[in-house]
Amino acid sequence: MTPLQFEKSHSATWAELETLLDRLDGLRQVKKPKRGEPALPPVDGARMTALYRRSCEHLALAQARAYPIHLTQRLETLTQRGHRLIYRQHDYGLARLKQLVLVDFPQSVRGHRWYLLAATLLFLVPMLAIGWATYRDPGFVLHLMDADEVQNFDSMYGDSDRSIGQQRRASTDWQMFGYYIQHNIGIGFQCFASGLFWGLGSVFYLVFNGQSIGAVAGYLTARGYTETFYSFVVTHSAFELTAIVLSGAAGLRLGHALLSPGRRTRLESLKHAAKDAITVVYGVMGMLLIAAAVEAFWSSARWVAPGVKYGVGAACWALVIAYLGWQGRPARSSHAD
C-alpha cells in the first residue's frame, strides 16, 4: 500500500477522531450550564477510544513502513492529543498500568511485527540447528562451553539428589527468585540496549542466546534427561524466551533507525524509535518478572508431576501467543473502515 492509498483509506477514521476530540475538549473547557440551559451532548467514549486505538495502530504501521514525515507527524499529533484528553486523569497508578498491560504493550508488539519476525528467526534458527547437532553428537557441546559448565548441567538435571527439581526451602526459593530477576533482566537489557550498535549487538545476543539454549537442550536430551529438563523449563520459558525475542526486536528497531533514518537526522530517528520501542521494553520487564517467579516457585517444585507442568506450560504458551496476537485490538463495529 502506497502512502497515498494508506492516507486515503484511513483519513475518515482520523477525521472522526479529531471531531470527537474537539467535542471532548470543548466539554471539558465549558462551564457547567446554568439551570434551564440545555446540556451539551455527551461524547461516545467507547467509539472515541476505539478510534484512538486504531489510529495508534496506523501510526505504528506508518513508522514501520517509513511513510513520509508529514503523515507520521499528523498521526503522532493526533494520537498524542487523544492520549492527553482520554487518559490525562490516569497517567499514573493502576489505571495507567492497566492501559499499558491491556492495550499499549500488545499493540506495540504488533506494530513491531517485522522486527519481531527477524528477531524470532535470529533466535530460533541457531537454537534448532545447534540443538540438533548437539543431540546427534553430545560432545559437540564442548565447542560452545567448558567441561565444568557441562558437568554442572549434568548435576542440575540428572537423577541425583542435587537435581534442580528437588524440593527446596522457601528461603532458597526467594533467593533464587532474586537471582532469576537479575539474570533475566540482564539478558533482556543486553538484547535491547546493544541495538544502539547499528543493530549488530542485538543480532549477536539473539544468536548467542539461541545457540546456548539449543546446545543445552540437545545435550540433555541426548543424555536422557528429557523429563527433568523439559518439565522444568516448559512453563517459565513461555514468558522468558518470548521476552528475550521481544527485547531483541526492540533493539533491532533502534538499529534500523540508525541505519535508515529517512528524512530525519540519525539522532531524531533514534529518539523516535526509542520512544516507540520503550513500551515493548516495559512489557518485557513484566514478562521477565513473571518468568522469574514461575521459575523459582513452580518450575523447581518436585511435588508437581511432570504431566501437570507440561499441561500448565502449554496453557502458558497459548496464553502468551493469544495475548500478544489479539489483546488490545479495537472491537469491530458498524463504523469500521
Side-chain angles (χ1 to χ4, degrees), residues 89-105:
Q89 300 300 326
H90 309 286
D91 286 339
Y92 303 98
L94 294 178
R96 182 67 188 94
L97 180 62
K98 180 180 178 181
Q99 171 71 16
L100 173 66
V101 173
L102 297 182
V103 179
D104 294 346
F105 174 48

Side-chain angles (χ1 to χ4, degrees), residues 72-336:
T72 57
Q73 284 182 341
R74 177 186 177 185
L75 286 168
E76 285 174 355
T77 302
L78 180 61
T79 54
Q80 288 172 3
R81 184 185 177 206
H83 184 275
R84 184 175 66 254
L85 290 174
I86 297 172
Y87 301 108
R88 67 178 181 180
Q89 300 300 326
H90 309 286
D91 286 339
Y92 303 98
L94 294 178
R96 182 67 188 94
L97 180 62
K98 180 180 178 181
Q99 171 71 16
L100 173 66
V101 173
L102 297 182
V103 179
D104 294 346
F105 174 48
Q107 281 188 352
S108 186
V109 168
R110 293 192 293 273
H112 287 73
R113 58 175 61 86
W114 297 114
Y115 302 103
L116 179 58
L117 175 61
T120 301
L121 292 175
L122 287 168
F123 180 81
L124 195 59
V125 172
M127 183 179 72
L128 294 177
I130 298 298
W132 175 250
T134 309
Y135 174 72
R136 294 294 301 272
D137 177 16
F140 183 78
V141 73
L142 294 175
H143 293 287
L144 303 172
M145 53 188 67
D146 59 41
D148 289 338
E149 289 181 288
V150 175
Q151 185 177 9
N152 186 45
F153 285 121
D154 278 322
S155 64
M156 288 169 60
Y157 298 103
D159 298 325
S160 68
D161 292 338
R162 296 178 60 194
S163 169
I164 195 69
Q166 67 179 333
Q167 190 172 7
R168 297 178 295 171
R169 296 177 298 176
S171 60
T172 304
D173 288 338
W174 279 105
Q175 290 171 0
M176 293 306 297
F177 176 50
Y179 167 78
Y180 291 141
I181 290 177
Q182 181 183 19
H183 180 261
N184 293 348
I185 291 181
I187 293 176
F189 180 77
Q190 285 176 336
C191 292
F192 169 65
S194 60
L196 291 171
F197 298 98
W198 312 98
L200 296 177
S202 296
V203 171
F204 170 79
Y205 281 113
L206 285 167
V207 172
F208 174 78
N209 284 288
Q211 61 92 17
S212 297
I213 293 171
V216 173
Y219 173 77
L220 294 175
T221 302
R223 292 278 289 163
Y225 301 147
T226 54
E227 183 175 282
T228 304
F229 174 68
Y230 289 107
S231 66
F232 174 76
V233 303
V234 65
T235 307
H236 67 263
S237 63
F239 306 97
E240 183 176 342
L241 299 189
T242 303
I244 290 173
V245 172
L246 288 175
S247 60
L252 293 177
R253 175 76 174 91
L254 298 183
H256 183 251
L258 290 171
L259 289 172
S260 181
R263 298 184 180 181
R264 296 184 173 93
T265 65
R266 295 193 188 279
L267 182 57
E268 290 174 344
S269 180
L270 179 61
K271 289 179 179 179
H272 190 273
K275 182 179 178 181
D276 192 32
I278 196 64
T279 302
V280 175
V281 176
Y282 289 152
V284 163
M285 295 300 105
M287 294 186 73
L288 290 176
L289 288 175
I290 294 173
V294 172
E295 189 171 1
F297 299 106
W298 168 265
S299 298
S300 60
R302 193 166 186 172
W303 54 269
V304 181
V308 175
K309 290 184 177 180
Y310 291 141
V312 173
C316 286
W317 275 105
L319 176 65
V320 168
I321 293 172
Y323 167 72
L324 296 178
W326 288 277
Q327 179 61 42
R329 291 184 181 273
R332 293 184 179 274
S333 67
S334 58
H335 299 87

